[in-house]
Amino acid sequence: MACFAVTLCVIILSGFINQLSAANKDTCDLYSAVGQSLMLPFVYETLGNTHVLKWTHNNTLIFYRHQGKVSVGKAEDVSASGSLLLKNLQFSSAGAYQANVLHPNNTLAKTWNGQVCVMDKVPKPQITYVCDFKSGAVKLDCKVAKPQDLAFSWTLDEKTLTSETSQTLSISLAQLKGERSFACSATNKAGKERSDTVRPICKSPSPSPPPLLCFTSKTVVAVAAGGISLILFLLICTIVICCCHRRSKRQERLREKGELRMISLNKREPDSTGPVYETMKSEDSPPPSPKPSTRACYLNVSEPEDEMGNRPPQLTLASAEGQQPSPVPKPRTKNPQTPNI
């Protein structure tokens, strides 16, 4: 019993010392990516069911087997030689791991310890390229989401280009004769990812046809812009002239309608120059001969014939009128007065 206690103290002390030494290290012993599995490389060839196997993570017991019975952890996670398989690693899985094998008499048979670091998984890169005919080369770029802390390598026709370790690659166009395949790989301490194979195709652009006129493009654009401006100006002037002509036509029609309306109104009004005209005519014309009254004519006609014989012959109104000059007709007045009988 005392030997077992001493052995246990030695194991604990050695584990503590190993953790201190591992903490002082700047690098890790094993690297793995998040979500991946890692086999801790512990090998004890003569490991049997009579031995005691114990695994710890940061001084926490994660596996214990005694006389073939597993009390902590899973039996399928440990190989026949005592290696421990870590599944679905996370950042919390990083740390110090230790394995101890004890003989049946509780003496230490073998021990192992190591520092595990967990990193992000390397994303798959993608190749893009640009054909530069001026420099006569094709430029390839190995694009990746997070290029920090990554190492790059290139392959040409499945042959590694040992001198190319940057993220970009430049190849002359002369080397692209035929089908040449390129691929790049991104690597960190936890893993490696390779891109798909790319076969760049660079076709030289066809020569542009000679210009029809010896003018630069800027001159042609300026002339075209001036022509368009002139057309717009002429169109605007035409529209303005048409509008003015239409307006003058409309005003002339309104003026003609106003004159016709004034003429019709003048025809309806009474003639104010009648009395003056009558007065002037009466002054210039000779005075008319006296006209017998209607009563005298009536007396002359109604006398009997016998009396006419005794009286001296008298001129009738008709004969009198025939002898005297005819009076000048007077203009018609507005309200003629009927003669008194």
Side-chain angles (χ1 to χ4, degrees):
M1 187 69 181
C3 293
F4 176 75
V6 172
T7 303
L8 186 60
C9 290
V10 171
I11 292 172
I12 295 173
L13 182 60
S14 62
F16 181 73
I17 293 172
N18 291 332
Q19 286 184 1
L20 288 177
S21 61
N24 293 329
K25 292 182 180 179
D26 295 334
T27 58
C28 300
D29 298 319
L30 299 172
Y31 294 90
S32 183
V34 175
Q36 293 183 351
S37 298
L38 177 65
M39 179 68 76
L40 300 179
F42 173 73
V43 177
Y44 187 66
E45 298 293 343
T46 60
L47 181 63
N49 293 331
T50 59
H51 293 89
V52 176
L53 178 61
K54 183 176 68 172
W55 278 94
T56 60
H57 174 221
N58 295 334
N59 293 328
T60 301
L61 187 64
I62 58 174
F63 184 84
Y64 186 82
R65 187 179 69 185
H66 178 59
Q67 295 182 354
K69 294 182 180 180
V70 179
S71 59
V72 178
K74 297 178 180 180
E76 60 269 18
D77 292 341
V78 177
S79 65
S81 61
S83 299
L84 179 64
L85 178 62
L86 303 178
K87 299 177 181 180
N88 192 19
L89 287 173
Q90 304 297 323
F91 289 109
S92 59
S93 303
Y97 288 84
Q98 184 178 8
N100 293 311
V101 177
L102 301 177
H103 291 292
N105 59 359
N106 293 326
T107 58
L108 183 61
K110 188 176 182 179
T111 185
W112 178 91
N113 58 75
Q115 189 76 17
V116 175
C117 293
V118 179
M119 305 175 66
D120 288 323
K121 185 179 180 180
V122 180
K124 184 176 181 178
Q126 182 179 3
I127 295 179
T128 60
Y129 67 91
V130 176
C131 299
D132 190 357
F133 293 97
K134 292 183 178 180
S135 61
V138 55
K139 298 179 181 179
L140 297 95
D141 188 5
C142 187
K143 289 188 175 181
V144 68
K146 296 179 180 180
Q148 296 81 7
D149 300 329
L150 293 178
F152 296 92
S153 61
W154 291 88
T155 59
L156 173 58
D157 296 334
E158 302 301 328
K159 294 180 181 180
T160 303
L161 302 176
T162 55
S163 59
E164 301 294 339
T165 57
S166 62
Q167 191 175 356
T168 59
L169 176 64
S170 180
I171 298 293
S172 64
L173 293 175
Q175 293 180 296
L176 291 181
K177 292 181 179 179
E179 291 188 359
R180 311 299 296 273
S181 60
F182 292 85
C184 70
S185 298
T187 308
N188 65 4
K189 296 178 179 180
K192 180 179 180 179
E193 286 290 337
R194 177 185 167 125
S195 68
D196 297 331
T197 301
V198 173
R199 294 178 175 83
I201 299 175
C202 296
K203 294 182 178 180
S204 59
S206 57
S208 59
L212 299 177
L213 298 176
C214 299
F215 297 109
T216 61
S217 58
K218 292 183 179 180
T219 304
V220 174
V221 171
V223 171
I228 294 173
S229 302
L230 180 60
I231 292 173
L232 291 177
F233 177 75
L234 294 176
L235 182 61
I236 293 173
C237 291
T238 304
I239 294 173
V240 172
I241 292 173
C242 291
C243 292
C244 294
H245 182 69
R246 185 176 181 181
R247 185 177 179 182
S248 61
K249 284 276 187 179
R250 185 177 180 183
Q251 290 179 355
E252 185 177 354
R253 291 176 182 175
L254 292 176
R255 193 181 300 111
E256 291 176 357
K257 289 182 179 180
E259 291 177 357
L260 293 175
R261 189 176 299 174
M262 291 296 295
I263 292 172
S264 62
L265 290 176
N266 291 335
K267 287 182 177 180
R268 293 179 183 179
E269 290 180 357
D271 190 4
S272 59
T273 60
V276 178
Y277 175 76
E278 182 180 359
T279 305
M280 294 175 63
K281 289 294 182 180
S282 61
E283 291 177 356
D284 296 338
S285 59
S289 60
K291 187 178 180 180
S293 63
T294 308
R295 184 176 180 180
C297 294
Y298 177 76
L299 293 176
N300 292 332
V301 172
S302 60
E303 288 181 354
E305 294 179 356
D306 52 359
E307 294 180 357
M308 290 180 64
N310 298 327
R311 295 182 180 180
Q314 297 181 356
L315 295 173
T316 61
L317 180 61
S319 62
E321 290 178 357
Q323 295 176 2
Q324 297 179 357
S326 61
V328 178
K330 295 182 180 181
R332 185 183 300 175
T333 59
K334 187 175 182 181
N335 295 320
Q337 295 180 358
T338 56
N340 296 325
I341 296 175

